[in-house]
Amino acid sequence: MKIMKGPYLYGICPSVKIHPPKFYVVKLRRVKKLLDKNIGEGIGGGKVFRIPYKDIEAVVSEVYLKEFGSKEIQKRAAEDLEWIKEKALMHEKVIETAMNNSDGLIIPMKFGAIFKGRESLISSLKKDYLRFKNLFKNLNGKAEYSVKIYLKSKPLENEIRKSSPIIQRKLEEIKSLPAGRQYFLEEEVNEMAKKEARNSINNYIPLFLEKLKGFTEELKENKILGKELTQRNDPMVFNGAFLVKKEKVDRFQKEIQKLRAEYEKIGFTFESSGPWPPYNFV
Amino acid sequence: MKHPKIQTLENITTSGRPPIEERVTLIDALDKVLEKGAVLDGEIAIRVADVDLVFIGLKLLITSISRAEVLRRGEDSSGGAVSKEDEEYIKGLEREIERAEGNIPRIIEASDPKKAEKGIAQLVLTLVKLIKDLMYREAKRRMGKGNLSEVEIQKLGLTFKALDKKIEEIRAIFGLEDEELNLDLGPLGNLM
């Protein structure tokens, strides 16, 4: 019985230019094989290696089709949190290492891309060759950075309470009332400040993005993650990925520092991470 | 350039919760890998269920929506017509309860006694605050209808104020942040 294996695809890189001494050309193959040896095993336990097509290369490792194509695995992927976590992190790690082996250039694949065989992978590469070439052109010298913004509402509400003339006037008005009734009116003022704070977020976020725009090439806005995911008490108010040119990374990060210095005191927290493979720009 | 450090599964299970930075990157990594990235024709994809559900695996400790339902049924069977105002009021209560629920599942971590203590304090305070907020709403409704005397208003207002202060005090003792008891969804939630 034949055991069927197929390539699990992590990402696509431009061919790495290797310059061995002229009389060693024969050994080029071996050099290529060693290229990703620092990655070790991929998903499913196979070695990570590259399949070339023209001047691009697919970073893959072999998996048993039966194992990964079966219903059980689909069920597992849909239900077993630990399994997904383990495999998905492996996927990300392989991509990241391969990216570093390829001058920081890779088209990362979404988790779980498996081909029936080498031929079907090559025919996919052939079909999308131009698309990949264009992507490489666009991504060259750039990396993805994540920016997430959180907001603690209390400091912003306090700020608004201080700066809003309407609220100030209301507070003045109720000062002379009996304490019991005063409580109810104070609560109304608090509600007002809360509402105002909520509305003002719509002004702050575009302001932040405008400031970062000068140092970034592209922005992809992602959906806001809930508290269960962020494990933070203050809610997320912005989640995005920026494509940043290498030479602008420093200034981009300085700008985030500046935003921190200016807006942290009214409750905003800025979280950035990177460089990432450009998952959001492929 | 600094590279994001990815926490491996082993580290997570053996050392408890990873430090904040790594946790952040972990979520980021999973989010990117499972949701984003290129897709090609002709591939067999491992289909992961709804990504949000995968991460969250959320269990609610209290399913108090049923309480609101009982309330609604009670009004129905009483025979009296439910006014639009009443209906909205009940809807408001339901929303309030749902908001509180959101805070509860994350709260109690039984493996760590210190965290568990804090968690229980948080749970109790969240509920106390919920009840207070519901009473407050009821009081305001009656005020609006003109059912309360000046003395009653005075009493109620002072009681609420005292309750607020007490909640604040206990909150400070257990080192809980204001947001941890916050029953509204913050800047993203709907206004009552």
Side-chain angles (χ1 to χ4, degrees):
Chain A
M1 199 176 74
K2 208 179 155 201
I3 298 165
M4 296 278 285
K5 277 183 170 186
Y8 178 108
L9 178 61
Y10 300 92
I12 295 154
C13 298
S15 294
V16 178
K17 290 178 197 91
I18 297 166
H19 305 288
K22 274 197 183 103
F23 42 92
Y24 272 130
V25 174
V26 202
K27 291 205 172 156
L28 185 66
R29 249 187 182 193
R30 191 184 295 168
V31 179
K32 284 248 163 157
K33 258 195 184 149
L34 290 174
L35 183 67
D36 288 326
K37 75 172 193 308
N38 57 341
I39 298 177
E41 286 178 1
I43 284 171
K47 270 220 156 60
V48 175
F49 64 102
R50 296 188 180 209
I51 296 176
Y53 172 76
K54 288 190 181 173
D55 55 350
I56 62 176
E57 295 172 344
V59 179
V60 301
S61 71
E62 299 254 285
V63 296
Y64 289 103
L65 291 177
K66 216 176 156 192
E67 191 186 340
F68 282 87
S70 68
K71 270 197 186 117
E72 287 93 276
I73 210 79
Q74 295 297 350
K75 212 176 154 210
R76 207 163 180 197
E79 286 165 6
D80 188 345
L81 194 80
E82 288 293 294
W83 187 87
I84 297 172
K85 206 197 266 174
E86 186 189 323
K87 300 294 179 195
L89 287 181
M90 233 168 160
H91 177 93
E92 152 62 20
K93 196 139 210 165
V94 171
I95 291 177
E96 208 173 301
T97 321
M99 174 177 86
N100 294 336
N101 294 344
S102 299
D103 294 331
L105 204 48
I106 195 166
I107 296 167
M109 301 298 297
K110 193 172 167 169
F111 176 72
I114 301 164
F115 290 82
K116 289 219 173 74
R118 208 184 164 102
E119 295 69 36
S120 95
L121 170 60
I122 299 237
S123 82
S124 272
L125 295 180
K126 202 171 183 173
K127 210 172 131 210
D128 278 327
Y129 178 74
L130 283 178
R131 187 180 129 209
F132 296 146
K133 290 295 279 183
N134 279 332
L135 275 172
F136 286 137
K137 216 160 91 189
N138 183 40
L139 295 171
N140 195 14
K142 299 169 194 165
E144 179 173 322
Y145 284 80
S146 290
V147 175
K148 294 177 167 48
I149 306 175
Y150 302 87
L151 176 66
K152 256 188 195 145
S153 42
K154 269 281 144 64
L156 185 60
E157 281 165 28
N158 289 339
E159 174 75 18
I160 281 163
R161 207 191 306 252
K162 264 189 276 169
S163 61
S164 156
I166 304 170
I167 288 179
Q168 282 302 319
R169 198 170 341 116
K170 280 233 158 166
L171 285 174
E172 197 56 42
E173 270 169 30
I174 61 179
K175 250 185 184 165
S176 53
L177 292 172
R181 191 173 271 279
Q182 200 183 15
Y183 176 85
F184 287 97
L185 294 167
E186 263 170 19
E187 285 296 290
E188 265 169 37
V189 172
N190 289 342
E191 272 306 311
M192 261 169 79
K194 243 183 216 167
K195 207 172 181 174
E196 266 309 300
R198 245 166 273 214
N199 291 337
S200 72
I201 297 172
N202 299 333
N203 303 327
Y204 279 111
I205 303 294
L207 178 81
F208 301 152
L209 298 184
E210 191 57 37
K211 290 195 176 190
L212 292 171
K213 213 172 158 187
F215 310 101
T216 58
E217 306 307 305
E218 269 179 70
L219 162 66
K220 176 91 200 318
E221 272 192 53
N222 290 325
K223 65 171 188 280
I224 305 276
L225 304 177
K227 284 183 184 178
E228 307 81 18
L229 290 183
T230 61
Q231 303 186 300
R232 290 178 64 103
N233 293 317
D234 44 350
M236 189 182 279
V237 291
F238 174 80
N239 183 17
F242 288 95
L243 195 61
V244 186
K245 271 191 181 159
K246 271 184 191 127
E247 64 264 29
K248 289 188 179 170
V249 167
D250 271 356
R251 277 181 287 162
F252 170 70
Q253 278 166 344
K254 268 196 196 115
E255 192 60 36
I256 289 177
Q257 279 303 337
K258 264 201 218 129
L259 288 174
R260 281 195 184 114
E262 202 173 336
Y263 296 100
E264 240 164 33
K265 52 179 179 286
I266 57 166
F268 288 97
T269 305
F270 299 82
E271 229 171 40
S272 79
S273 67
W276 289 96
Y279 289 96
N280 279 282
F281 303 97
V282 290
Chain B
M1 264 193 298
K2 234 181 76 197
H3 280 272
K5 249 183 95 184
I6 309 299
Q7 185 85 356
T8 65
L9 184 72
E10 285 76 10
N11 291 344
I12 293 164
T13 44
T14 53
S15 68
R17 269 155 72 134
I20 286 172
E21 263 170 50
E22 287 172 355
R23 232 158 56 214
V24 166
T25 336
L26 172 73
I27 292 157
D28 232 358
L30 288 174
D31 195 36
K32 283 175 197 289
V33 168
L34 299 178
E35 280 241 292
K36 305 277 149 43
V39 180
L40 295 183
D41 283 350
E43 68 183 42
I44 309 165
I46 299 177
R47 272 179 293 277
V48 180
D50 178 25
V51 176
D52 283 345
L53 289 179
V54 166
F55 289 143
I56 296 168
L58 193 108
K59 273 189 211 120
L60 296 182
L61 285 180
I62 296 179
T63 45
S64 29
I65 292 176
S66 55
R67 229 193 298 160
E69 264 165 11
V70 169
L71 196 67
R72 197 191 301 137
R73 259 202 305 273
E75 295 234 1
D76 282 349
S77 61
S78 71
V82 181
S83 73
K84 221 175 168 128
E85 194 191 330
D86 284 338
E87 213 168 277
E88 243 158 52
Y89 177 69
I90 290 168
K91 281 225 178 80
L93 293 186
E94 282 175 356
R95 272 201 297 270
E96 194 76 353
I97 290 164
E98 270 171 42
R99 287 177 188 191
E101 277 175 353
N103 281 330
I104 293 165
R106 301 173 297 116
I107 289 175
I108 296 177
E109 212 170 308
S111 57
D112 182 336
K114 214 165 188 174
K115 277 187 195 155
E117 188 189 69
K118 192 176 163 185
I120 289 165
Q122 189 182 356
L123 178 60
V124 171
L125 272 192
T126 304
L127 290 174
V128 169
K129 193 161 179 277
L130 168 68
I131 293 163
K132 185 238 129 189
D133 286 348
L134 295 178
M135 289 195 306
Y136 170 74
R137 194 144 302 124
E138 177 65 19
K140 270 199 79 171
R141 191 170 74 123
R142 291 194 191 172
M143 266 170 80
K145 284 188 172 170
N147 290 349
L148 293 179
S149 70
E150 205 50 53
V151 178
E152 280 170 324
I153 292 173
Q154 174 74 353
K155 267 190 190 163
L156 277 168
L158 286 175
T159 307
F160 287 139
K161 204 167 200 165
L163 258 175
D164 278 356
K165 289 269 182 286
K166 204 75 204 167
I167 291 172
E168 280 298 284
E169 195 184 310
I170 301 173
R171 186 177 70 75
I173 289 172
F174 284 95
L176 291 161
E177 277 189 62
D178 195 51
E179 258 83 7
E180 290 176 274
L181 308 182
N182 208 350
L183 295 180
D184 67 35
L185 292 175
L188 303 167
N190 299 325
L191 265 178
M192 291 274 301

